[in-house]
Amino acid sequence: MSRFSESLFGVIENQISPIAARLSSQRHVVAIKDGFISSMPFLIVGSFMLLFAHPPFGADSQWAFARWWLGMVERHSAQIMMPYNMTMGIMAVYIAAAISYNLAISYKMNGFMAACLSLMSFLLVAAPQSNGALPVGSLGGEGIFTAILVSLYSTELMHFLQKHHIGFKLPEQVPPKIRQSFDLLIPILAIFLTLFPLSLLVQDQFGMLLPQAIMAVFKPIISASDSLPAVLIAVLLCHLLWFAGIHGAVIVGGILQAFWLTNLGINQQELNAGQPITQIFIEPFWQFFIVVGGSGSTMGLVFLYLRSRSAHLRSIGKLGLVPSMFNINEPIIFGSPVVMNPLLFIPFITAPLVNAIIAWVATRTDLVNHVVSLAPWTTPGPIGAAWSTGWDFRAVILVGVLIMVSTLIYYPFFKMYERELLKQETPTAGDELKAVEN
């Protein structure tokens, strides 16, 4: 191993890894990550219904099935869009409650009561009643950052009051459920005395709701996050952490989730309005184009392993083939191993970076559609890519190209690693290799 490699691995192991490990276990980061995960079933189903409301056919299609689908959507558009409106359309509502619940559980508080307080707080600033109705414009993607901030604030406020025993003291004879409900009286009052005046001030001074003001503040960051340099930095950080044995996808994905969902909300609004779709960096773009087969884009490496002369690599390839089809590649990362393996370091980092560049260019130049839907991350790559891009089957071709590119990137390093393992497995195998080379 070269001196440069030793220095690099030392930095990863001694400096980056400890910081990442602390970040991954930080209470608020975990609550946000788990909150987004809890909301995913609603968002996936809602995204699917949006695709159903936008058939992948031109209005002039003469195919009988296409004409039937287009006609049904035209006649029943409101009913078909209702599941989307009640899931993706108000996704910030679910996120606010889920984050607060998970944070409260980490404090050993009543998660349900904390979620109710967070939900009330979020609706108070994001959907104030007007003309007998609640506006929903800030309950979707526009309200995600507000949902995060409000859920953390309301739960921390509730925790502070309970920690300092600020509240109504009821006799022990009072049933627990009644005592729990009275525990929320002071937090609710505190919300009305702090968060509500802030919301009124923003409305009066800027003529916008709090979520709109927060989005205006975050807009430069959101724009920067949807750029190729941001994508490459995220990919590099994720795989450096993986190489050190830390689940980089969980850490980086948890941080990026708010940006991914905001970008998805923008794309879906543009789709519904019939406008050009603009955002690229969304979770399915990461899952099905950048890391095909799992972190490191190891699907190509699995194919190489299956034909390896090394018994160890061949067995790892057989073991990891089926999981890799569903984007689960821990058998490959830890079985090879890829972790702290200098021979596989360069392709493990390079393959997803190259995939990101190719997929970005293909999307930006409209060779494939932009992502407009969420598909479960365990969906096989080609299917997930087509699903998330509105059934654009050019995405299937792109996934195939990306797998071939990653295979070519891995090939020379795989051969070096195979040669090393063959020398270690049996003397016979080593002699056989020498004979082949001669």
Side-chain angles (χ1 to χ4, degrees):
M1 188 186 302
S2 68
R3 184 173 299 177
F4 172 76
S5 299
E6 291 177 353
S7 300
L8 178 61
F9 297 159
V11 169
I12 295 173
E13 187 173 13
N14 300 321
Q15 297 183 28
I16 297 178
S17 296
I19 296 173
R22 287 195 295 271
L23 181 63
S24 65
S25 59
Q26 204 279 329
R27 186 190 306 271
H28 300 87
V29 173
V30 172
I32 293 171
K33 174 178 65 69
D34 290 345
F36 281 121
I37 292 174
S38 301
S39 307
M40 278 300 149
F42 301 99
L43 310 187
I44 290 172
V45 172
S47 292
F48 181 81
M49 293 308 298
L50 179 67
L51 290 185
F52 190 73
H54 293 272
F57 311 109
D60 57 348
S61 175
Q62 298 304 311
W63 186 26
F65 176 71
R67 298 307 308 167
W68 170 81
W69 190 344
L70 290 165
M72 183 179 63
V73 169
E74 185 177 355
R75 291 190 302 272
H76 305 290
S77 177
Q79 291 83 358
I80 293 173
M81 285 295 292
M82 186 60 68
Y84 165 81
N85 292 332
M86 294 297 101
T87 51
M88 282 294 304
I90 57 171
M91 61 179 164
V93 171
Y94 303 107
I95 291 169
I99 292 175
S100 184
Y101 175 88
N102 284 284
L103 181 57
I105 293 298
S106 74
Y107 280 128
K108 296 183 170 33
M109 298 193 306
N110 188 309
F112 176 75
M113 302 305 284
C116 289
L117 178 65
S118 174
L119 186 57
M120 187 272 307
S121 304
F122 177 66
L123 291 176
L124 183 69
V125 301
Q129 186 178 6
S130 176
N131 298 322
L134 297 181
V136 298
S138 295
L139 301 185
E142 184 177 76
I144 288 177
F145 288 100
T146 304
I148 294 172
L149 296 174
V150 167
S151 62
L152 296 179
Y153 171 72
S154 64
T155 309
E156 286 294 340
L157 177 63
M158 182 178 175
H159 176 246
F160 174 84
L161 294 173
Q162 288 191 11
K163 182 179 179 181
H164 293 84
H165 306 289
I166 302 174
F168 291 98
K169 302 295 188 292
L170 298 180
E172 290 296 326
Q173 292 81 3
V174 176
K177 293 298 181 183
I178 296 179
R179 284 209 309 273
Q180 289 173 6
S181 66
F182 270 79
D183 286 342
L184 273 188
L185 289 177
I186 299 301
I188 290 173
L189 180 61
I191 290 294
F192 279 117
L193 293 176
T194 57
L195 200 57
F196 187 47
L198 175 62
S199 176
L200 294 177
L201 177 64
V202 171
Q203 293 178 54
D204 180 65
Q205 294 296 317
F206 302 101
M208 58 179 68
L209 295 177
L210 189 60
Q212 296 167 344
I214 291 175
M215 277 296 290
V217 173
F218 277 94
K219 189 173 182 179
I221 303 175
I222 294 170
S223 297
S225 71
D226 193 48
S227 63
L228 183 56
V231 174
L232 297 180
I233 291 171
V235 172
L236 180 61
L237 178 59
C238 171
H239 289 83
L240 285 175
L241 294 175
W242 257 123
F243 193 74
I246 297 174
H247 203 305
V250 169
I251 297 173
V252 175
I255 295 171
L256 291 175
Q257 197 66 245
F259 297 96
W260 283 342
L261 287 177
T262 300
N263 288 336
L264 178 64
I266 293 171
N267 280 4
Q268 291 183 341
Q269 289 176 1
E270 292 169 342
L271 177 64
N272 281 328
Q275 300 171 348
I277 298 173
T278 55
Q279 307 302 104
I280 294 178
F281 195 29
I282 302 172
E283 185 174 7
F285 181 83
W286 175 288
Q287 297 289 359
F288 304 123
F289 293 134
I290 296 177
V291 291
V292 187
S295 295
S297 191
T298 53
M299 195 74 244
L301 185 61
V302 172
F303 293 148
L304 292 174
Y305 279 2
L306 290 173
R307 298 182 61 83
S308 175
R309 287 177 293 161
S310 165
H312 171 70
L313 296 182
R314 205 163 49 247
S315 63
I316 294 299
K318 293 176 182 177
L319 181 66
L321 177 61
V322 174
S324 291
M325 290 180 178
F326 299 92
N327 301 314
I328 300 169
N329 68 340
E330 278 79 359
I332 303 299
I333 289 179
F334 296 106
S336 298
V338 173
V339 172
M340 297 306 291
N341 185 337
L343 287 177
L344 295 178
F345 172 72
I346 292 177
F348 186 72
I349 299 292
T350 304
L353 288 174
V354 172
N355 281 359
I357 294 171
I358 294 173
W360 177 275
V361 172
T363 306
R364 180 61 73 195
T365 57
D366 294 323
L367 291 177
V368 295
N369 288 347
H370 289 63
V371 171
V372 293
S373 176
L374 279 180
W377 67 270
T378 51
T379 307
I383 299 174
W387 178 345
S388 60
T389 54
W391 301 114
D392 181 4
F393 285 94
R394 294 174 299 176
V396 176
I397 299 174
L398 177 58
V399 170
V401 170
L402 296 175
I403 291 175
M404 288 190 288
V405 169
S406 63
T407 303
L408 292 174
I409 292 172
Y410 272 107
Y411 182 75
F413 301 94
F414 153 75
K415 293 304 291 183
M416 286 190 288
Y417 189 39
E418 179 189 55
R419 186 177 295 110
E420 182 178 289
L421 290 179
L422 283 172
K423 291 177 181 177
Q424 297 173 4
E425 285 178 0
T426 62
T428 305
D431 296 339
E432 183 180 312
L433 176 63
K434 290 179 181 178
V436 171
E437 290 176 342
N438 293 332

